[in-house]
Amino acid sequence: MAMRRVVAAAALLACVLLPMAASPVRGRNITAILDGYKEYKLYNKYLSETKVCDEINSRQSTSMTILVLSNDAMTTLASDAGDSLPAIKNALRLHSVLDYYDRKKVKKYGDESAATLYQATGDAASTTGNVKVVDQEDKNYGFSAATPGARICTVTKEVETHPFKFAILEVTAPIEFDGLFDTPSTTNLTLLLERAGCKVFASLAARSGVLKTYEAAMDKGLTLFAPNDDAFQAKDVPDVKSMSSANLTKLLQYNALPSYNTKTSLKFVKGTLRTLATTKAGVTVVAKGDDVSLDTGKSKSRVADTVVDSVPFCLLTVDSLLVPPELYVGAPEAAPAPAPAEAPQGSPSSDAPSVGADHAADHKTKKPSSSGASRPIGAFAAACSLVLASLLL
């Protein structure tokens, strides 16, 4: 009888300890992980500023390998990119591999090609957005660009490895190729809007003078939600032709945020986002899977496509015009809105710590959190303890 109790006790303890041991990878947050490594401080900073961290964190179910650079190597990359954030973003995406690799796997399977976040964006020409995994002499292995003759960047340290799920590897130098730092021009916003099928919106912005407001904000941080031409024919949309100049300005400014947000980053927003408009009413984000919508309190508008993503400016098309509640015909005076959220959170789940408006500042102070995982584990442990106590009596 005593032996059975001991065996039962051991089994129950295993039930408690094994889930706890497996929890560190759950709800991974790349910037929170790298926050514990001073040698990657600059790399982590650029992950936050470009919001590549959100793209990484959003792929919780995807096996990934992040090729990190020391502060010196990251300085070299930034210099090669001309300190252009859009160009640096291309490079960071190239260093985010969409598969798991470590020494053991490379030595077993040898050389192969692997996709990256950069290839996944569709911005890369042909397959230049892939990287080559290279089995080198002895215990060494590395990665290179997919272009012929590209230098091999050897892995100097396996920073973190969680087999077949997630790895962080330090490489000797940046992976680069000719054309990596090419970025789309954003000098002609009107042309970008017209090509995206938003000619009415472009015309109204130019006529009202709000276009200049947009252009002035593009270098500081701007997310523009451009409705297609059909959106102005919708039933509940106010008549922009008869609208006063002040209300038209408010309407157009309401379709923009004074901060840089990508479609992926918007998925993690908590609370109300402040717009460029002076109105107290902001917009809230409703995200479900890959779908992202904006809720004004009166209607919802789906974020359709990314036209331009050029840090710190992002142009997104939406299916319907965002209208402040007070501009609807017969609308009552709008109630005070909740406190606005300046920028999206950088965490894809309750298991990973969130990242606020100023990514770079927040990542310096926030540490990985396992609160989302600890609650069910704690409850399970308590239940097991009760059963254990009853067995030992």
Side-chain angles (χ1 to χ4, degrees):
M1 182 67 176
M3 181 58 71
R4 287 211 308 262
R5 287 178 176 174
V6 171
V7 172
L12 285 168
L13 285 174
C15 289
V16 175
L17 295 176
L18 285 177
M20 293 175 69
S23 64
V25 190
R26 198 165 170 239
R28 65 182 181 235
N29 184 312
I30 184 60
T31 46
I33 294 171
L34 290 181
D35 195 40
Y37 298 91
K38 293 187 294 185
E39 59 268 44
Y40 310 127
K41 181 178 180 180
L42 191 57
Y43 187 93
N44 207 20
K45 170 179 174 288
Y46 281 116
L47 278 182
S48 298
E49 290 184 3
T50 61
K51 297 194 185 295
V52 172
C53 59
D54 291 331
E55 296 180 15
I56 294 171
N57 291 341
S58 69
R59 292 176 175 263
Q60 293 293 303
S61 60
T62 303
S63 295
M64 291 192 71
T65 299
I66 309 303
L67 306 177
V68 297
L69 299 168
S70 67
N71 292 329
D72 288 342
M74 187 65 226
T75 299
T76 299
L77 189 154
S79 177
D80 292 345
D83 292 318
S84 163
L85 283 177
I88 291 172
K89 182 167 189 172
N90 286 351
L92 293 178
R93 283 170 162 172
L94 185 69
H95 286 70
S96 303
V97 184
L98 301 178
D99 203 348
Y100 174 83
Y101 291 98
D102 60 12
R103 180 178 289 106
K104 185 176 180 180
K105 180 180 177 179
V106 175
K107 292 301 174 182
K108 181 176 181 179
Y109 295 105
D111 298 358
E112 63 181 53
S113 177
T116 69
L117 280 179
Y118 184 53
Q119 183 69 26
T121 63
D123 293 335
S126 186
T127 58
T128 57
N130 292 336
V131 293
K132 290 181 180 178
V133 186
V134 184
D135 181 6
Q136 297 175 290
E137 294 181 355
D138 300 325
K139 295 182 178 180
N140 295 328
Y141 68 106
F143 296 80
S144 74
T147 51
R151 73 178 172 191
I152 300 172
C153 303
T154 302
V155 174
T156 56
K157 184 193 301 183
E158 293 186 334
V159 182
E160 290 199 15
T161 56
H162 303 279
F164 308 108
K165 294 181 180 178
F166 189 67
I168 301 175
L169 310 176
E170 180 185 325
V171 290
T172 52
I175 301 172
E176 300 175 3
F177 62 87
D178 289 342
L180 175 63
F181 300 129
D182 294 344
T183 57
S185 172
T186 59
T187 55
N188 192 329
L189 180 55
T190 299
L191 184 61
L192 289 173
L193 288 169
E194 290 178 346
R195 286 179 175 175
C198 308
K199 293 182 180 180
V200 174
F201 187 77
S203 176
L204 291 172
R207 190 184 81 196
S208 64
V210 175
L211 182 66
K212 292 182 179 179
T213 302
Y214 293 156
E215 292 172 338
M218 286 171 63
D219 291 335
K220 302 172 185 177
L222 178 71
T223 304
L224 185 57
F225 302 113
N228 57 43
D229 292 344
D230 291 339
F232 290 89
Q233 306 301 320
K235 180 180 178 181
D236 295 330
V237 171
D239 182 6
V240 293
K241 294 179 181 179
S242 61
M243 189 175 285
S244 69
S245 176
N247 282 345
L248 179 59
T249 296
K250 180 185 292 187
L251 174 71
L252 296 174
Q253 290 180 343
Y254 190 69
N255 282 259
L257 306 177
S259 56
Y260 169 65
N261 304 278
T262 65
K263 183 177 179 180
T264 298
S265 297
L266 286 170
K267 295 177 184 179
F268 309 136
V269 168
K270 305 296 181 185
T272 303
L273 281 170
R274 179 171 60 90
T275 71
L276 279 180
T278 55
T279 177
K280 293 182 179 180
V283 295
T284 56
V285 178
V286 179
K288 186 176 182 181
D290 290 332
D291 289 333
V292 178
S293 296
L294 303 169
D295 190 345
T296 67
K298 290 284 290 184
S299 64
K300 292 181 182 179
S301 179
R302 185 180 71 90
V303 178
D305 298 305
T306 300
V307 179
V308 173
D309 177 1
S310 183
V311 191
F313 168 63
C314 191
L315 172 58
L316 304 168
T317 57
V318 289
D319 288 348
S320 57
L321 182 67
L322 299 175
V323 181
E326 63 268 27
L327 291 188
Y328 279 93
V329 178
E333 185 176 350
E342 295 292 340
Q345 304 298 318
S347 171
S349 71
S350 59
D351 299 315
S354 60
V355 181
D358 188 346
H359 279 295
D362 286 353
H363 290 316
K364 293 179 183 177
T365 57
K366 294 194 177 183
K367 302 296 180 183
S369 168
S370 60
S371 59
S374 64
R375 284 191 293 272
I377 290 175
F380 184 62
C384 288
S385 297
L386 290 173
V387 177
L388 176 59
S390 67
L391 286 170
L392 294 176
L393 288 176

